[in-house]
């Protein structure tokens, strides 16, 4: 087996009961989802599936053969009917007459939209001719680690023959496109009994006369490879054997928390990056091995892999037996700079006159012996997926180097894919990033009314958000709701009490490990209390001071430390209160603590400015809806103070305001977003009152 940790053979998940009654297109969706459900069959977004289906032509009413093939983008595991492009087979066949030869193959992509059946808007992918010209009704093209390990071995052709005999053929490396489609067709015509073909340095094509046969062939070919690897790797020292030992899990995370913000700072000059940490057994086996450096230097092989990971990772030199993290930190800028020089050299030596301009020169994957792997990208999902792809690459290297020698893709071939004009057009078509894309925000009191609304606002703008709160049940609930609305990659909960120094430090460690650092702190955790001064106990006084004053100090201090490690500025927004500016009867402890918050913000604005750290304040007033503060004693005390029922309070505050309007959590969130974003890039030390107008709290 390639990786003994990944479980045994693939199960045959085809279920006739489920498949019964499905239309041909539905069967294609079912086959694709079933294949994609196991990452050992294909990596995220990798590979594609197709069916050739006879359908009525909407124009002529005649039966025509239509190629249904996974469209550009998307993932087999989750693809639905609308993820498939549909093209007339006769028109696709006719394209052969227009083909001017391999040096012109890219122009054939422009003809694909002309073959569209039924005005389907889904763009056909570059792999379309590969499916069209295989003369079989059902075709799978998967990227299984076990097969790519064979495809990336030095003697891949001989290994294919040894494992599969004549059942599975072999074709040398060829970039996907029209020419490869013709090669596949030729292969099938010359080998009518073959069930599939391995494409060197790439993946597997397999086919069948029914959807089920096609699926089962794919699964059994992969299982055959897994079984063969299992036998052949018996007793072999994987990656040349272990030369260093892993640190324990807590140490690994502590080191990740220290290094990730620093790496992020060094590589975020053209847009902030998000990080992902992986210290799984598969990664540790590789980074602790004797062959780490030579194998990493060879680069990844499958084109899908390195499009996300870049051809090579950056290996951080570190000896876990004598862990000197400060030395690593001191060297980091040089390591990053050296990688960039290497990448520039790769670009310069491989570029063509019409190549797209060089893109980001920084590494995506960072490998550290004893610790694990960090990956960075413009958004969290891509950072995570890049990490998953590198794990695929590790699996491939494990397999190939165990039974033979691993060969990476030649630099020129890699470059021609990375800077392929067609790929570049795809990148250019990507939607513009949202205003807070790449930003990481930590929101204290994130499970409360204003905190949750703020998190939601920042998430909508593309930020990743850590919800920090002391209320475990409310935190879980907020996390679930926001992850559902905005995607799991974007939200993390951390259970902390902002009055505990240790817990605050731990919360920022979590943030750094989960996302790579922090850009925005929204300090918002709070409470409200009411009592005349004679009845204000020391405990009540201290509680207000602890949460609102000391708590704000602790989280701000930790954020500052992280900002200074990253060296890419930072942004702090304190949620204080109208009561921090305007004295209120019977709330001395609360008002004083809120006033301390506001002054703390001003002091920090002064200290942070030279490092581009901005600190501003939002003062809400009377935000009743959604707020937990307004469900308890405070509500009753306020109602009693104004001699009215609690039900009348909202109306009381509305009519008391100058603008005669109620204030909602979303209104506070909007002001926080403004201060947290570049829209307010030139404001620091400021206060925005969001209270529907209250002359007492006018700032002066
Ligand atoms: P809320 O009670 O709904 O939310 C506050 C959150 O802070 C809660 O989820 C709570 O669990 C959390 N929290 C409390 N103590 C904590 C601690 N020690 N550590 C971590 N988390 C803790 O209240 P809200 O209305 O959303 O208030 C948010 C902020 O706005 C507070 O600072 C509050 O003082 C301020 N504010 C609110 C109003 C208003 O009318 N709602 C007015 C002015 C100021």
């Amino acid at each position: 087996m390639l990786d003994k940790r990944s479980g045994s053979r693939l199960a045959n998940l085809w279920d006739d009961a489920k498949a019964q009654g499905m239309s041909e297109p539905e069967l294609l969706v079912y086959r694709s989802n079933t294949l994609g459900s196991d990452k050992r069959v294909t990596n995220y977004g990798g590979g594609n599936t197709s069916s050739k289906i006879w359908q009525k032509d909407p124009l002529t009413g005649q039966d025509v053969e239509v190629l249904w093939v996974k469209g550009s983008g998307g993932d087999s595991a989750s693809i639905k009917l609308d993820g498939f492009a549909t093209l007339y087979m006769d028109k696709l066949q006719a394209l052969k007459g227009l083909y001017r030869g391999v040096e012109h193959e890219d122009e054939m992509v422009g003809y694909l939209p002309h073959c569209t059946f039924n005005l389907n808007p889904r763009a056909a992918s570059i792999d379309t001719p590969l499916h069209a010209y295989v003369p079989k009704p059902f075709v799978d093209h998967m990227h299984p680690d076990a097969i790519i390990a064979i495809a990336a071995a030095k003697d891949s052709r001989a290994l294919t023959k040894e494992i599969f005999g004549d059942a599975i053929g072999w074709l040398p490396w060829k970039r996907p496109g029209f020419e490869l489609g013709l090669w596949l067709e030729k292969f099938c015509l010359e080998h009518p009994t073959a069930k599939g073909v391995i494409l060197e340095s790439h993946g597997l094509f397999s086919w069948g006369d029914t959807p089920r046969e096609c699926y089962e062939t794919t699964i059994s070919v992969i299982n055959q490879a897994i079984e063969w690897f299992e036998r052949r790797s018996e007793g072999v020292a994987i990656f040349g054997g272990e030369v260093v030992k892993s640190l324990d899990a807590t140490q690994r995370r502590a080191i990740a928390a220290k290094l990730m913000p620093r790496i992020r700072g060094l590589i975020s000059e053209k847009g902030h990056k998000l990080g992902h940490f992986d210290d799984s057994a598969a990664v540790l086996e590789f980074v602790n091995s004797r062959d780490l450096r030579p194998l990493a230097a060879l680069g990844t092989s499958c084109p899908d892999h390195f499009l996300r990971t870049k051809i090579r990772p950056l290996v951080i030199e570190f000896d876990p037996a004598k862990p000197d993290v400060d030395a690593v930190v001191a060297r980091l800028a040089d390591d990053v700079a050296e990688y960039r020089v290497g990448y520039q050299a790769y670009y310069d030596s491989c570029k063509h006159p019409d190549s797209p301009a060089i893109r980001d020169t920084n590494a995506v994957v960072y490998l550290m012996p004893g610790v694990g792997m960090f990956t960075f990208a413009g958004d969290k999902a891509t950072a995570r997926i890049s990490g998953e792809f590198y794990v695929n690459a590790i699996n491939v290297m494990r397999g190939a180097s165990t039974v033979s020698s691993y060969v990476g893709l030649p630099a020129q071939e890699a470059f021609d894919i990375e800077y392929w004009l067609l790929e570049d057009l795809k990148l250019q078509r990507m939607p513009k990033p949202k205003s807070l894309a790449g930003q990481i925000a930590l929101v204290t009191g994130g499970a409360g009314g204003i905190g949750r609304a703020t998190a939601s606002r920042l998430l909508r703008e593309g930020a990743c958000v850590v919800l920090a709160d002391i209320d475990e049940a409310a935190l879980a609930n907020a996390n679930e709701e926001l992850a559902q609305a905005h995607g799991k990659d974007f939200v993390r909960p951390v259970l902390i009490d902002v009055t505990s120094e240790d817990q605050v430090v731990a919360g920022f460690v979590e943030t750094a490990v989960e996302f790579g650092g922090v850009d925005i702190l929204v300090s918002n955790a709070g409470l409200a209390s009411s009592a005349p001064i004679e009845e204000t106990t020391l405990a009540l006084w201290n509680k207000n001071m602890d949460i609102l004053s000391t708590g704000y100090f602790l989280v701000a201090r930790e954020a500052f430390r992280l900002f200074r490690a990253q060296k890419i500025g930072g942004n702090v927004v304190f949620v204080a209160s109208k009561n921090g500016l305007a004295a209120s009867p019977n709330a001395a402890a609360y008002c004083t603590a809120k006033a301390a918050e506001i002054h703390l913000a001003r002091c920090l604005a002064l200290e942070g400015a030279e490092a581009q750290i901005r600190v501003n304040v939002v003062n809400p007033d009377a935000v009743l809806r959604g707020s937990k503060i307004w469900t308890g004693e405070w509500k009753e005390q306020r109602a009693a103070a104004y001699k009215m029922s609690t039900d009348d309070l909202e109306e009381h505050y509305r009519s008391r305001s100058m603008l005669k309007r109620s204030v909602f959590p979303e209104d506070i969130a909007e002001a926080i977003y403004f201060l947290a974003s570049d829209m307010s890039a030139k404001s620091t030390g400021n206060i925005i009152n969001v209270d529907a107008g209250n002359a007492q709290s006018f700032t002066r």
Side-chain angles (χ1 to χ4, degrees):
M1 183 164 53
L2 271 176
D3 177 2
K4 293 196 164 44
R5 288 168 296 265
S6 60
S8 60
R9 313 288 144 73
L10 302 172
N12 181 347
L13 301 173
W14 190 272
D15 182 349
D16 269 336
K18 271 194 193 156
Q20 203 181 17
M22 284 185 184
S23 66
E24 284 292 356
E26 285 165 350
L27 280 169
L28 174 59
V29 172
Y30 174 60
R31 171 158 56 97
S32 311
N33 295 165
T34 313
L35 288 166
S37 67
D38 192 325
K39 290 281 165 282
R40 289 173 298 168
V41 175
T42 202
N43 50 351
Y44 176 84
N48 28 53
T49 42
S50 70
S51 296
K52 298 181 182 86
I53 301 173
W54 286 89
Q55 289 183 276
K56 280 238 177 306
D57 187 330
L59 282 182
T60 64
Q62 303 281 309
D63 279 342
V64 287
E65 193 179 20
V66 180
L67 176 72
W68 282 66
V69 59
K70 187 184 142 206
S72 195
D75 180 47
S76 299
S78 55
I79 196 167
K80 300 197 176 71
L81 275 179
D82 65 1
F84 290 89
T86 49
L87 305 100
Y88 287 98
M89 271 304 291
D90 57 350
K91 293 191 185 186
L92 287 167
Q93 293 292 2
L95 292 185
K96 290 177 190 163
L98 294 172
Y99 187 46
R100 297 195 292 147
V102 67
E103 60 282 14
H104 303 287
E105 70 168 343
D106 284 0
E107 74 186 17
M108 300 310 287
V109 176
Y111 292 117
L112 293 177
H114 293 277
C115 305
T116 304
F117 171 80
N118 205 16
L119 303 177
N120 182 348
R122 173 65 58 186
S125 86
I126 286 157
D127 286 352
T128 300
L130 281 57
H131 286 265
Y133 300 148
V134 169
K136 296 281 171 185
F138 305 99
V139 180
D140 291 339
H141 166 44
M142 295 285 114
H143 291 167
D145 292 346
I147 297 291
I148 303 179
I150 298 163
K154 197 169 151 222
D155 44 0
S156 122
R157 181 176 208 156
L159 292 182
T160 306
K161 183 90 181 158
E162 180 184 333
I163 303 167
F164 301 105
D166 292 331
I168 301 293
W170 181 91
L171 288 174
W173 162 255
K174 174 98 209 117
R175 200 178 66 177
F178 203 83
E179 183 72 16
L180 185 56
L182 296 180
W183 284 19
L184 278 164
E185 179 179 47
K186 183 164 180 280
F187 172 84
C188 291
L189 295 176
E190 287 171 1
H191 303 86
T193 58
K195 293 174 169 186
V197 60
I198 286 182
L199 306 180
E200 188 185 23
S201 293
H202 186 167
L204 174 70
F205 261 84
S206 39
W207 44 76
D209 290 327
T210 67
R212 180 180 170 158
E213 184 192 317
C214 181
Y215 168 83
E216 288 181 342
T217 298
T218 302
I219 296 297
S220 78
V221 169
I222 301 170
N223 272 338
Q224 222 176 318
I226 292 175
E227 195 182 321
W228 182 83
F229 273 109
E230 229 168 35
R231 266 188 282 118
R232 283 289 296 265
S233 44
E234 205 89 330
V236 179
I238 306 293
F239 298 134
E242 183 185 78
V243 287
V244 296
K245 294 256 174 259
S246 295
L247 293 169
D248 70 41
T250 319
Q251 289 173 306
R252 298 200 295 266
R253 276 186 94 72
I255 291 174
K258 189 155 181 183
L259 286 187
M260 289 176 75
R262 287 169 170 86
I263 296 173
R264 180 170 186 255
L266 289 167
I267 63 173
S268 287
E269 76 281 15
K270 286 190 191 135
H272 287 196
K273 303 265 171 59
L274 266 304
H276 186 75
F277 176 54
D278 184 342
D279 59 351
S280 59
V283 169
L284 288 172
E285 181 181 54
F286 183 57
V287 296
N288 294 346
S289 74
R290 191 198 68 189
D291 295 343
L292 162 68
R293 287 160 196 83
L295 281 173
L298 286 178
T300 63
S301 180
C302 178
D304 259 20
H305 292 178
F306 81 83
L307 267 178
R308 303 262 189 167
T309 61
K310 288 226 164 85
I311 185 146
R312 266 176 215 100
L314 188 159
V315 178
I316 297 172
E317 290 306 335
F318 178 68
D319 181 359
K322 291 185 234 108
D324 185 351
V325 183
D326 291 336
V328 174
V329 170
R331 256 193 352 257
L332 212 48
D334 287 343
D335 290 350
V336 168
E338 193 185 317
Y339 185 95
R340 287 187 192 138
V341 170
Y343 187 84
Q344 179 78 50
Y346 153 77
Y347 177 86
D348 290 341
S349 67
C350 297
K351 73 171 179 213
H352 304 286
D354 60 347
S355 288
I358 191 164
R359 301 193 198 107
D360 184 17
T361 54
N362 293 300
V364 172
V365 179
Y366 300 76
L367 302 174
M368 190 167 179
V371 178
M373 168 173 74
F374 319 118
T375 44
F376 286 89
D379 63 82
K380 175 69 184 179
T382 309
R384 173 180 57 75
I385 292 165
S386 302
E388 286 170 12
F389 275 31
Y390 201 75
V391 172
N392 287 126
I394 289 174
N395 289 339
V396 165
M397 289 187 275
R398 182 189 299 108
S401 64
T402 303
V403 298
S404 168
S405 311
Y406 167 77
V407 279
L409 215 51
Q412 188 64 56
E413 289 298 333
F415 179 89
D416 288 350
I417 292 215
E418 194 175 344
Y419 284 91
W420 198 354
L421 287 169
L422 296 174
E423 286 289 347
D424 203 57
L425 288 176
K426 220 156 96 181
L427 290 179
Q428 285 171 25
R429 281 199 301 265
M430 302 262 275
K432 229 178 120 231
K434 294 182 183 168
S435 70
L436 293 182
Q439 299 275 311
I440 303 158
L442 185 140
V443 181
T444 71
I450 293 172
R452 204 186 276 222
T454 302
S456 172
R457 185 71 187 93
L458 303 181
L459 284 160
R460 248 168 52 215
E461 293 301 329
C464 288
V465 174
V466 175
L467 305 165
D469 208 290
I470 197 173
D471 181 337
E472 196 168 1
L475 186 61
N477 178 287
N479 179 58
E480 200 179 311
E481 183 189 293
L482 292 169
Q484 189 126 37
H486 302 278
K488 275 196 189 139
D489 280 313
F490 287 85
V491 202
R492 294 285 184 280
V494 292
L495 189 64
I496 60 165
D497 177 349
V498 295
T499 68
S500 154
E501 186 172 15
D502 289 349
Q503 291 185 28
V504 168
V505 170
F508 278 86
V509 164
E510 275 301 294
T511 306
V513 177
E514 288 300 322
F515 291 126
V518 80
D519 302 292
I520 299 165
L521 164 67
V522 181
S523 184
N524 158 79
L527 78 167
S529 74
S530 173
I533 188 68
E534 315 86 285
E535 288 167 29
T536 301
T537 60
L538 180 59
L540 184 66
W541 175 267
N542 282 342
K543 190 174 178 192
N544 276 277
M545 287 300 164
D546 283 351
I547 299 176
L548 301 175
S549 182
T550 309
Y552 277 51
F553 148 69
L554 285 174
V555 292
R557 186 183 68 179
E558 229 37 52
F560 262 61
R561 286 176 174 163
L562 207 41
F563 292 156
R564 291 207 190 274
Q566 284 178 146
K567 301 198 181 93
I568 45 174
N571 212 319
V572 177
V573 183
F574 277 8
V575 180
S577 171
K578 173 213 90 179
N579 295 66
L581 294 173
S584 274
N586 300 340
Y590 177 74
C591 292
T592 309
K594 283 290 180 188
E597 270 179 27
I598 294 174
H599 206 58
L600 173 62
R602 294 189 184 114
C603 295
L604 300 186
L606 203 63
E607 274 191 47
E610 50 79 27
Q612 295 299 314
I613 301 169
R614 299 192 291 120
V615 186
N616 292 289
V617 175
V618 174
N619 281 339
D621 186 34
V623 184
L624 277 72
R625 277 189 217 168
S627 168
K628 281 190 273 169
I629 290 176
W630 287 94
T631 53
E633 271 182 1
W634 170 259
K635 192 173 189 179
E636 273 150 32
Q637 288 158 349
R638 289 289 95 187
Y642 297 122
K643 301 192 176 35
M644 60 180 61
S645 95
T646 51
D647 291 346
D648 296 331
L649 270 178
E650 188 166 342
E651 178 53 24
H652 164 76
Y653 284 113
R654 190 193 67 75
S655 56
R656 192 184 76 174
S657 73
M658 288 163 51
L659 297 169
K660 308 286 178 228
R661 301 185 71 173
S662 296
V663 184
F664 302 119
E666 292 70 27
D667 301 320
I668 313 301
E670 201 59 40
I672 294 170
Y673 163 52
F674 171 72
L675 290 174
S677 74
D678 271 353
M679 287 188 291
S680 62
K682 295 171 189 171
S683 284
T684 191
N686 263 320
I687 298 174
I688 299 182
N689 291 327
V690 186
D691 54 7
N694 185 319
Q696 254 196 312
S697 50
F698 282 0
T699 51
R700 50 185 80 80

